[in-house]
Amino acid sequence: MEPDVLIIGAGAAGLIAARELSKAGKKVLILEARDRIGGRIFPLDKNEFGYGAQGGAEFVHGEAPVTRALLKEIGLTTDRNEDGQWWSVIDGEAKVMESAAPYDPVLKEKLATLAEDTTIAKFFDENFAATEYDNLRRMTMRRIEGYYAGDPLRTSAFALREDVNIEETGNGNSSIKEGYGEMI
């Protein structure tokens, strides 16, 4: 087969491009360097890991109309898990968090009153310097650095506020009950 289109990478973008081009009648060839498809989507095998988990993409963020249309088309479901628990590993021990920073009410209140944008680090220095906020500060910084791969010295406090507001309106993160691997 002589392809009309060559796609490099079988991650989500490459796969959706191949799907749409194929539907348009094009002959598509996908080249993938790994021994699996999915890119950042990396379901962890229950038998190997101990329970079903995601080693990569886990959430559907916001409205995501293309993703949600695909989920509906193939019969997968999402779950906001609003009464779920937030877990964190602190000093090597997994613990259920009492507060799901950055959705702590005190943090949300301070973010709501922010008139000018600033960095998250500066915002915390000005509003949460007291030791009583150490846990909130640590958890929020860990979320910014680990979840968003952001630098608190450069990341916008307005962006954090927007993320909190998205969660509040119900257009926030949800999980695919069956896992992203089923979508791929």
Side-chain angles (χ1 to χ4, degrees):
M1 170 187 102
E2 187 70 28
D4 298 315
V5 179
L6 176 64
I7 295 176
I8 309 296
L15 292 173
I16 195 71
R19 178 181 192 258
E20 295 303 310
L21 288 164
S22 294
K23 284 170 53 175
K26 300 294 181 187
K27 295 177 191 166
V28 179
L29 176 64
I30 303 174
L31 295 179
E32 172 56 53
R34 296 181 185 182
D35 62 354
R36 64 175 185 83
I37 65 171
R40 257 192 81 235
I41 297 170
F42 186 48
L44 302 172
D45 185 86
K46 185 176 184 176
N47 295 327
E48 293 177 27
F49 194 69
Y51 58 91
Q54 304 299 314
E58 182 176 1
F59 301 107
V60 178
H61 300 281
E63 294 181 22
V66 172
T67 302
R68 292 189 189 278
L70 283 168
L71 292 171
K72 184 176 182 181
E73 179 183 323
I74 59 179
L76 299 180
T77 54
T78 59
D79 181 8
R80 289 213 11 105
N81 194 21
E82 293 178 18
D83 60 346
Q85 297 173 322
W86 288 70
W87 286 79
S88 184
V89 176
I90 299 173
D91 297 326
E93 183 181 343
K95 297 179 181 179
V96 175
M97 301 307 300
E98 291 178 23
S99 171
Y103 307 110
D104 183 280
V106 176
L107 177 58
K108 290 189 319 190
E109 181 182 315
K110 288 285 189 185
L111 284 168
T113 62
L114 191 60
E116 287 185 31
D117 200 6
T118 186
T119 67
I120 290 173
K122 186 175 179 185
F123 171 77
F124 267 82
D125 287 345
E126 292 173 356
N127 293 279
F128 298 101
T131 57
E132 68 185 279
Y133 298 114
D134 285 352
N135 188 50
L136 176 63
R137 181 183 192 98
R138 183 179 70 251
M139 293 305 299
T140 304
M141 296 307 162
R142 286 177 67 190
R143 183 172 175 90
I144 298 303
E145 293 169 342
Y147 187 74
Y148 294 111
D151 178 354
L153 295 171
R154 299 180 63 195
T155 304
S156 160
F158 278 178
L160 178 61
R161 179 172 68 188
E162 183 178 329
D163 183 54
V164 168
N165 288 337
I166 286 171
E167 289 292 329
E168 289 293 306
T169 62
N171 292 326
N173 299 333
S174 56
S175 297
I176 301 172
K177 287 181 183 177
E178 301 83 1
Y180 260 107
E182 291 299 314
M183 184 180 195
I184 294 301

